[in-house]
Amino acid sequence: MQETNIETRLHPANAELSRRIAVLLETLLEKEKTVEALQDSEKRYRRLFESAKDGILILDAETGSVVDVNPFLLQLLGYSYDALIGRYIWEIGVFKDIAASKEAFKILQDNEYIRYEDLPLEAFDGRPIAVEFVSNVYLVDHRKVIQCNIRDITARKRAEAEHKRLMAAVEQVEDAIVMTDAKGIIQFVNLAFERTTGYSREEAVGKSPRILKSGQQDESFYRDLWGTVSGGRTWVGRMVNKRKDGTLYTEESTVSPVRDASGRIVNYVGVQRDITEELRLAAQSQQARKMEAVGLLAGGVAHDYNNMLGVILGYTEMAMNKVEAAQPLHTDLQHILNAAKRSADITRQLLAFALKETIVPVALDLNTNVERILDMLRRLIREDINLAWMPAVGECPVKMDPIQVEQILMNLCLNARDAITGVGKVTIETGSVVIDEDYCANHPGFVPGKYVLLAVSDNGEGMDKEVLDHIFDPFFTTKEVGKGTGLGLSMVYGIVSQNNGFINVYSEPGEGTTFKIYLPWYANKAVETGTEIAAKIPPCLGETVMVVEDELSLLVIARTMLEKLGYSVLSAGSPGEAIGLAEKHAGEIRLVITDVVMPEMNGRELAERLHSLYPDMKILFTSGYTANVIGHKGVLDEGVSFIQKPYSMKDLAAKVREALRGT
Ligand code: ADP
Ligand code: MG
């Protein structure tokens, strides 16, 4: 527009000139534009250089001196612009690994492009920095420069390290961790998951957690789980899952949704703890508590019951002594006596089960003890059941009450008999085993050491898992009313634990049953071969004995028995009365037979008091249960005599003699 104006206004002679001027002007303008453009681009690049969030360093490729450096790098390294400009790179001390010397610098000179992913630098103040380093060699205005781009990766590395640590933690936790995508497909599992489930990472990833489904929970259970987590909430609960090998385990599980920045659920994370073992231990301690409760009850009842039985036994025996054996009354009395004895056996069972019975552990050889009662056991089981005895070679020393060996074997053999229909076989075996740490690791509750093994096997009907789970429960029986008490195995269990042993059962329906009992190997010498029960009533020498018993009817019967045996008897219905009698008594008192549990003073205290009056006096304790009073955990102190209630005259005669002899 402007040009046209000039042309129209000027004289044609000047037209050529003006055209030239216009061209010149144009060229000038054009040049100016280029300069401006150049300056613009220079500015733009400058701005980029100045504001870059990466460090940029320009070196003279020939000399290695710093030509330019951007503010970011200065800040990163802690140097001022002036401190770097013109300096040789190897003098600065920043690039220790790549340009520590003029020689090292050659690498940068000779390579058009170099990249170090993770290069350690040192800031001015000595602080280590990790950077990613890229160098490019190129020409600027005929001058060869090396541009170094330096990116701070310290934060990224820290994040990576944190990630690594986190991963290590995830791998090391005891809890199984499984992560799925939003569709529920497994993306990650940790080591504990592999351990618990038996599936390797490769096997699990890409699959659905359904691979663990055990069939123990119904569909609604899983619907609830998925409903909860897909609704954005955390699900906490317990479930039974199946391992790769098909075994089941119980886990406590927490499943939570994971959201991304926008709030969308992108993952689910499950944290699961295998609590199978915990549950088993809890059940075991519950079993122990149950036994204790039942034991307490049984023990309490048995105590009173025992006293009454003592009276029945005593009077019947005495009545029988007054009646000719040929008379029918004698036979009647014999029946009463037998029944009372059987009742006494049952109470004894109850007490043993309640672990309230006073046991007298002695060192014994299990083989000899089993042999001693084999005939009795053979009579106990039916004729068409063969009882095989396979003793270990050599001794099997244990320290326990021989009566307990009897109780264990009787119960196991009776159970075996009941499990066999028709012809069958029961085998009793002994042996020695060393239980090591490895075995204990797989068998909770076991303690390493040397053990005597007592195994009783039968080829009877066996048991299914449901029955197996309960056999040690007090009163658990599968037998019809009147046939089973459900106390047999609880008692065996009680005895074995009282002797610090363990018990294992192997059984399958139709495959028979084996009970394995492990009793601590008793290494201490002098193994007795069992207790000999005196058959004859030992003679009495007319010694004076004192009886203390708060149950009057029992006191009377004891007194009568002792007098019949020929002793001179002082009887007292209470500890106070006993002390009074003892103080008044002129002669000697050789022995005091005292009940242990009495209202005002226990038998042990009474014995001490009497002992101060008659230092040579022997003591014979008597009780239905004395576990808490006489000894620790029901174990009698050595050197103290004891007679279990109810007792017969024969028992009493033998025990009194034994006590008087001072054993
Ligand atoms: P009981 O014999 O009075 O039933 P136990 O405590 O002795 O009580 O035994 C409990 C249950 O264990 C039995 O009722 C039976 O079901 C099962 N049982 C014990 N021993 C055997 C065995 N050898 N074979 C099969 N089942 C057995
Ligand atoms: Mg039984």
Side-chain angles (χ1 to χ4, degrees):
M1 269 284 266
Q2 234 176 356
E3 256 178 69
T4 342
N5 279 346
I6 293 172
E7 235 168 332
T8 45
R9 262 191 277 131
L10 289 178
H11 190 273
N14 293 329
E16 177 56 20
L17 182 70
S18 47
R19 198 190 57 79
R20 280 190 185 178
I21 291 174
V23 169
L24 190 72
L25 252 172
E26 203 165 324
T27 330
L28 268 173
L29 271 170
E30 204 57 31
K31 199 159 192 176
E32 200 151 88
K33 261 193 205 156
T34 326
V35 171
E36 229 168 64
L38 262 174
Q39 276 172 347
D40 267 3
S41 109
E42 166 101 350
K43 257 190 216 150
R44 259 206 309 280
Y45 281 112
R46 193 76 217 164
R47 219 178 298 134
L48 270 180
F49 184 77
E50 301 282 345
S51 64
K53 290 293 171 246
D54 278 345
I56 303 170
L57 180 75
I58 312 286
L59 300 173
D60 184 319
E62 302 301 329
T63 64
S65 64
V66 176
V67 178
D68 205 353
V69 51
N70 76 340
F72 187 87
L73 189 61
L74 292 174
Q75 202 202 354
L76 179 68
L77 301 179
Y79 284 87
S80 71
Y81 185 79
D82 297 333
L84 293 186
I85 288 301
R87 297 274 301 280
Y88 295 111
I89 179 145
W90 54 86
E91 282 177 1
I92 306 174
V94 169
F95 301 93
K96 283 219 167 102
D97 284 37
I98 49 160
S101 62
K102 206 169 175 173
E103 286 67 49
F105 173 66
K106 272 187 77 62
I107 300 176
L108 292 187
Q109 275 179 317
D110 297 346
N111 290 284
E112 241 172 66
Y113 174 84
I114 288 182
R115 178 158 180 270
Y116 296 100
E117 259 183 52
D118 180 3
L119 186 73
L121 296 192
E122 202 177 282
F124 182 68
D125 56 9
R127 180 172 41 92
I129 312 165
V131 300
E132 183 189 315
F133 178 96
V134 178
S135 75
N136 280 293
V137 182
Y138 55 89
L139 283 171
V140 178
D141 297 336
H142 311 292
R143 185 175 176 198
K144 220 167 152 195
V145 297
I146 304 175
Q147 179 184 333
C148 308
N149 283 47
I150 295 161
R151 172 168 297 171
D152 183 7
I153 58 165
T154 317
R156 192 181 85 200
K157 277 192 67 173
R158 205 180 299 131
E160 273 171 12
E162 205 155 88
H163 182 250
K164 239 190 211 161
R165 259 204 310 279
L166 211 64
M167 269 317 285
V170 164
E171 288 295 22
Q172 267 158 36
V173 286
E174 287 295 318
D175 293 359
I177 296 177
V178 52
M179 190 156 170
T180 73
D181 63 14
K183 291 201 191 83
I185 298 302
I186 299 177
Q187 291 182 314
F188 169 83
V189 299
N190 70 346
L191 272 176
F193 177 95
E194 295 184 308
R195 244 190 341 257
T196 328
T197 64
Y199 286 104
S200 72
R201 187 162 298 172
E202 293 72 36
E203 288 169 320
V205 169
K207 303 237 173 63
S208 150
R210 266 195 296 268
I211 52 173
L212 302 176
K213 245 186 185 175
S214 64
Q216 300 282 309
Q217 287 88 212
D218 56 12
E219 280 309 314
S220 70
F221 176 90
Y222 294 103
R223 260 204 307 280
D224 169 59
L225 194 167
W226 279 107
T228 306
V229 293
S230 59
R233 281 166 299 136
T234 293
W235 183 89
V236 180
R238 194 176 272 193
M239 65 173 106
V240 176
N241 277 344
K242 193 164 77 183
R243 296 190 175 89
K244 192 183 171 189
D245 66 9
T247 55
L248 301 184
Y249 65 99
T250 310
E251 62 170 31
E252 216 149 59
S253 177
T254 306
V255 186
S256 316
V258 180
R259 298 169 186 279
D260 66 6
S262 70
R264 210 161 38 99
I265 293 175
V266 281
N267 293 106
Y268 295 103
V269 175
V271 179
Q272 299 152 348
R273 197 158 54 88
D274 185 349
I275 54 166
T276 315
E277 185 51 25
E278 226 165 273
L279 290 178
R280 210 188 57 76
L281 284 176
Q284 213 172 49
S285 88
Q286 200 189 347
Q287 158 93 353
R289 273 204 303 278
K290 221 186 307 181
M291 299 228 349
E292 201 178 297
V294 177
L296 225 60
L297 185 73
V301 174
H303 177 64
D304 293 340
Y305 191 64
N306 248 352
N307 287 345
M308 299 307 126
L309 277 176
V311 176
I312 296 171
L313 269 174
Y315 278 111
T316 312
E317 265 182 319
M318 285 189 296
M320 283 172 80
N321 286 340
K322 292 181 194 151
V323 182
E324 291 284 320
Q327 288 200 21
L329 183 59
H330 194 274
T331 320
D332 293 350
L333 287 170
Q334 185 65 50
H335 283 310
I336 296 176
L337 192 71
N338 289 348
K341 275 188 178 153
R342 247 191 64 67
S343 307
D345 281 347
I346 294 173
T347 345
R348 206 176 151 72
Q349 287 252 54
L350 266 176
L351 281 169
F353 158 70
L355 302 180
K356 285 281 160 58
E357 188 182 41
T358 303
I359 55 153
V360 188
V362 293
L364 55 85
D365 171 35
L366 195 63
N367 288 342
T368 330
N369 268 264
V370 175
E371 259 149 42
R372 206 165 48 81
I373 55 171
L374 270 182
D375 281 341
M376 190 264 284
L377 294 172
R378 286 211 170 90
R379 262 179 275 124
L380 204 64
I381 58 180
R382 286 190 312 271
E383 267 168 24
D384 43 6
I385 298 174
N386 172 19
L387 180 69
W389 164 228
M390 299 169 69
V393 182
E395 276 188 343
C396 291
V398 292
K399 188 174 186 189
M400 70 189 294
D401 191 324
I403 288 168
Q404 292 188 320
V405 178
E406 234 175 84
Q407 284 167 335
I408 291 176
L409 284 171
M410 269 174 58
N411 275 297
L412 294 182
C413 287
L414 280 174
N415 282 346
R417 178 199 68 187
D418 294 345
I420 295 170
T421 30
V423 182
K425 186 173 178 183
V426 177
T427 310
I428 304 175
E429 283 168 82
T430 56
S432 67
V433 274
V434 173
I435 291 180
D436 57 16
E437 307 277 353
D438 287 348
Y439 186 87
C440 294
N442 297 317
H443 294 77
F446 277 66
V447 177
K450 188 169 182 187
Y451 291 85
V452 169
L453 169 69
L454 173 64
V456 178
S457 319
D458 66 65
N459 61 353
E461 63 189 6
M463 289 171 260
D464 59 22
K465 203 179 162 307
E466 237 111 88
V467 172
L468 260 181
D469 277 348
H470 294 289
I471 52 170
F472 296 116
D473 284 359
F475 303 118
F476 173 83
T477 180
T478 56
K479 295 167 193 173
E480 47 188 284
V481 182
K483 284 243 169 94
T485 59
L487 283 178
L489 287 180
S490 333
M491 194 178 109
V492 171
Y493 183 92
I495 292 175
V496 172
S497 359
Q498 190 179 35
N499 286 288
N500 303 316
F502 316 110
I503 186 163
N504 257 349
V505 196
Y506 305 89
S507 191
E508 300 271 350
E511 299 293 328
T513 303
T514 297
F515 282 89
K516 281 190 178 175
I517 290 168
Y518 301 85
L519 297 161
W521 180 278
Y522 186 66
N524 281 17
K525 63 272 146 198
V527 172
E528 290 171 27
T529 52
T531 43
E532 295 298 317
I533 295 145
K536 272 197 304 177
I537 296 182
C540 160
L541 308 170
E543 294 96 335
T544 303
V545 298
M546 176 186 267
V547 194
V548 192
E549 168 66 60
D550 62 326
E551 178 73 45
L552 188 64
S553 52
L554 265 188
L555 179 65
V556 175
I557 186 84
R559 181 194 179 109
T560 321
M561 281 179 174
L562 288 164
E563 280 172 350
K564 278 206 179 296
L565 289 168
Y567 292 96
S568 160
V569 185
L570 297 167
S571 61
S574 72
E577 196 185 335
I579 293 164
L581 265 179
E583 279 167 350
K584 266 191 262 136
H585 185 69
E588 202 186 11
I589 303 178
R590 294 289 308 282
L591 171 78
V592 62
I593 304 167
T594 174
D595 190 12
V596 175
V597 186
M598 288 178 293
E600 38 190 275
M601 185 189 291
N602 73 35
R604 172 164 262 173
E605 286 171 285
L606 174 65
E608 274 166 24
R609 294 279 291 273
L610 293 175
H611 225 248
S612 60
L613 295 168
Y614 296 88
D616 291 333
M617 187 176 71
K618 299 285 191 316
I619 296 152
L620 173 59
F621 287 117
T622 168
S623 183
Y625 68 107
T626 57
N628 306 320
V629 192
I630 288 198
H632 168 70
K633 223 176 145 194
V635 179
L636 199 66
D637 290 350
E638 269 175 58
V640 176
S641 300
F642 177 81
I643 184 166
Q644 169 82 41
K645 282 186 198 174
Y647 42 79
S648 71
M649 207 152 122
K650 244 187 244 170
D651 295 342
L652 184 66
K655 267 285 162 160
V656 168
R657 284 301 346 141
E658 196 184 291
L660 282 171
R661 270 204 312 275
T663 47

